[in-house]
Amino acid sequence: VKELKTKKRVFIGLTSLGLLFLSIIIYFIWYLTYGGLYNINHLLPLILAVIIGVFILFAGIGITGIVYSILCKRSFPFMQGSIRAAITLLMPAAIRIGKLMKIEKEVVESSFIEVNNQLVKAKRLLLPPKRLLLLLPHCLQYSDCPIKITTDVANCRNCGKCIIGDIKLLSQQRGFHLFVATGGTIARKVIKEIQPAAIIAVACERDLTSGIQDSYPLPVLGLPNERPEGPCVNTQVRFDKIVESVEFFTKKEEF
Ligand code: SF4
């Protein structure tokens, strides 16, 4: 239970509530249309009830799978479909219910990222560094730096004014792919070209939430950036978090 005593509970609680509300709404729609459906065909209400029941059961198994994987720190391949369905179907409901409960969207997204990271960690992957891609947002670069690093991060001169230089050196030493993306489209193109087995992504909560869902079933470990100067300018990420994430996917080496 200790594993759930963090912000992960926000997402799990809201998706569970989302499933409950959706079930109630769907039941009432079914109840109100029962007579009309029965007149069309006597079996129609029953068929619809079975379809709805399977949908609710599938999403319920997904939420159970999330909780169980986090508690056991293990991945259950047969639950992956229902986990994905639960996340995709219930995320919008979770955000809406969060809004009604005055929970900020960013808090829900942050909780989702935490849940996702635990699910990725539960897979316990061990990869050669060449199968790993680290995707960074352009806003990590010092805003007055004149060097273009989005075409090739090797252009960075390691001046020390931002973290890009240190991460570039780390990628050269460890051998993983590194790319600084200006947006989701270019990130998708790079993923298609490199075909990594896993991704570490640094971005804001909103971009990480959509990126993680878009990339499924590719495991994506999400690291939200810090924004001391506001969004999209001179953002930061802790270097030790990057090292820790790289080491999670690859063999631990001296650095
Ligand atoms: S570390 Fe690299 S990217 Fe950052 S400011 Fe210096 S040269 Fe530019």
Side-chain angles (χ1 to χ4, degrees), residues 141-142 145 147 149 156-165:
Q141 184 181 25
Y142 174 55
C145 174
I147 293 165
I149 56 165
C156 165
R157 292 184 195 150
N158 303 77
C159 75
K161 283 189 175 149
C162 72
I163 199 172
I164 300 288

Side-chain angles (χ1 to χ4, degrees), residues 80-98:
Q80 295 308 307
S82 51
I83 287 177
R84 190 194 176 186
I87 289 172
T88 311
L89 291 168
L90 299 173
M91 185 69 184
I95 287 173
R96 280 195 182 86
I97 294 169

